[in-house]
Amino acid sequence: MHVPDGFIDAPVSVAAGVFAAGAVAVSLRGARRELDERTAPLAGLVAAFIFAVQMLNFPVAAGTSGHLMGGALAAILVGPYTAVLCLSVVLLMQGIFFADGGLTALGVNITVMGVVTVVVAYGVFRLLTGVLPHTRRSATASAFVAALVSVPASAAAFTLLYWIGGTTDIPIGKVFTAMVGVHVLIGIGEAVITALTVGAVLAVRPDLVHGVQGALTAPLKLRVDGELVDAPAPTREPEPATAHRSNRGFLITGLVSAFLLAGFVSFYASASPDGLERVAADQGIDEKAEEHGAADSPLADYGVGDIANARLSGGLAGVIGVSATVVVGTGVFWVVRRRREDERGGPARSDHENA
């Protein structure tokens, strides 16, 4: 649901840009509490993985497709503040280099796809995990519901912005019905992808899933004088070398998966217009759409301009996009982590260690 230039008028686009900039600023500060030496590389990988999976449009209805937004996935894996930064990096890379999502609409896209999805999904996820049993199955089911709800919420947010600053005179009720209706279907695909990914990470490295930190392991109980009390937490010597090897293998596996998805699987993605494009064409929202400012980019439309072979062109563009996103994303998150170290006057520690 990348909003092009010309859908939303200049005043509302500017206001959305100011809001998005504020959200990114708040997230930069909040992410310092979420990132440590283990999770900073993971956040870069999450951004790259979302970039890759967003290239995989899946059919949802006759002549309409959808793709992952990634707000729920990122929020559950690395935390809500870091998730906003992940989505902002992805949207920035897509807008500047791949002409996907308008440049003047960047604030709109970060607000709708990067902030609304994260806030809604993380709120729903925390609510469900707070009332459901603390098991991996419950966490995976909660991820499914959170992702499902976040997508139509994002569509509703776009509709609100369009109601305030749309460039065409279309009955807002028709826009709302069409947008939310098709994005409920897209949300099902989002929910499946999110649940499968979160479930896979929970199966191998539950300690890296921010949304369930401390929730999947109930404290050991001891009976003392007839009453149950929490047993003292076991103390273990740190094993940094083992942890780094384990993280390295996990990160390499994730990065290779992202490269395969973007470089190979993306060729088989649906070519049908996505939900917003379909609604825009059907309802006339796109009457004043403007040419993208980066339309002459050599990577525009996810292809390398000088390569005639469509499969090779698209695959190479995907690999370039994943590489650039992981480099930029990891760089941003390492800078944020270093800021945390500087504030504390020493190496950053994980929340578990601080506890």
Side-chain angles (χ1 to χ4, degrees):
M1 193 173 64
H2 294 74
V3 181
D5 295 321
F7 278 27
I8 307 294
D9 64 23
V12 175
S13 294
V14 170
V18 172
F19 176 83
V24 169
V26 171
S27 297
L28 283 169
R29 188 167 186 84
R32 297 176 196 173
R33 301 191 298 270
E34 297 173 345
L35 295 172
D36 55 34
E37 67 276 3
R38 297 178 309 123
T39 55
L42 176 63
L45 173 61
V46 168
F49 185 80
I50 289 173
F51 179 95
V53 180
Q54 283 196 0
M55 294 181 65
L56 309 180
N57 280 47
F58 48 84
V60 295
T64 306
S65 69
H67 62 72
L68 181 83
M69 290 192 189
L73 177 62
I76 294 167
L77 290 181
V78 294
Y81 294 108
T82 306
V84 171
L85 299 181
C86 285
L87 270 295
S88 298
V89 168
V90 171
L91 291 167
L92 186 64
M93 301 298 292
Q94 291 171 333
I96 293 177
F97 297 109
F98 296 88
D100 191 9
L103 296 179
T104 62
L106 181 60
V108 172
N109 283 315
I110 291 176
T111 298
V112 170
M113 296 179 63
V115 178
V116 172
T117 57
V118 168
V119 171
V120 171
Y122 196 69
V124 172
F125 181 80
R126 295 295 293 179
L127 176 64
L128 291 176
T129 53
V131 299
L132 293 175
H134 293 169
T135 64
R136 293 177 184 175
R137 182 174 297 178
S138 294
T140 303
S142 298
F144 181 95
V145 176
L148 176 62
V149 174
S150 71
V151 176
S154 178
F158 166 79
T159 305
L160 175 61
L161 292 178
Y162 191 82
W163 180 49
I164 299 171
T167 55
T168 56
D169 186 17
I170 306 295
I172 198 63
K174 295 176 63 177
V175 176
F176 177 82
T177 301
M179 283 294 294
V180 173
V182 72
H183 282 89
V184 166
L185 300 178
I186 295 173
I188 296 173
E190 175 108 9
V192 170
I193 295 171
T194 301
L196 288 175
T197 305
V198 170
V201 178
L202 284 173
V204 295
R205 290 299 303 271
D207 58 304
L208 293 180
V209 180
H210 180 276
V212 298
Q213 284 183 356
L216 293 185
T217 54
L220 179 65
K221 298 288 185 179
L222 296 177
R223 186 174 296 277
V224 178
D225 295 331
E227 295 184 2
L228 288 176
V229 297
D230 290 343
T235 57
R236 294 181 300 175
E237 292 297 322
E239 302 178 50
T242 302
H244 284 306
R245 283 198 298 270
S246 180
N247 284 350
R248 189 179 301 117
F250 178 82
L251 294 172
I252 290 174
T253 300
L255 188 58
V256 169
S257 299
F259 279 128
L260 289 175
L261 291 172
F264 178 72
V265 181
S266 62
F267 181 78
Y268 301 96
S270 172
S272 299
D274 69 17
L276 176 58
E277 291 174 322
R278 171 58 65 187
V279 172
D282 291 346
Q283 304 296 330
I285 295 175
D286 58 355
E287 288 181 4
K288 296 186 179 180
E290 301 172 2
E291 184 179 16
H292 199 285
D296 295 331
S297 167
L299 297 173
D301 297 324
Y302 298 94
V304 179
D306 294 333
I307 299 179
N309 184 286
R311 185 189 297 271
L312 180 60
S313 176
L316 183 57
V319 169
I320 293 172
V322 168
S323 301
T325 302
V326 75
V327 169
V328 172
T330 302
V332 169
F333 300 127
W334 274 107
V335 169
V336 173
R337 172 181 172 263
R338 293 297 302 177
R339 289 278 295 174
R340 176 182 177 178
E341 290 184 10
D342 293 343
E343 287 180 351
R344 295 189 175 194
R349 296 180 298 169
S350 69
D351 292 336
H352 177 72
E353 292 170 329
N354 291 330

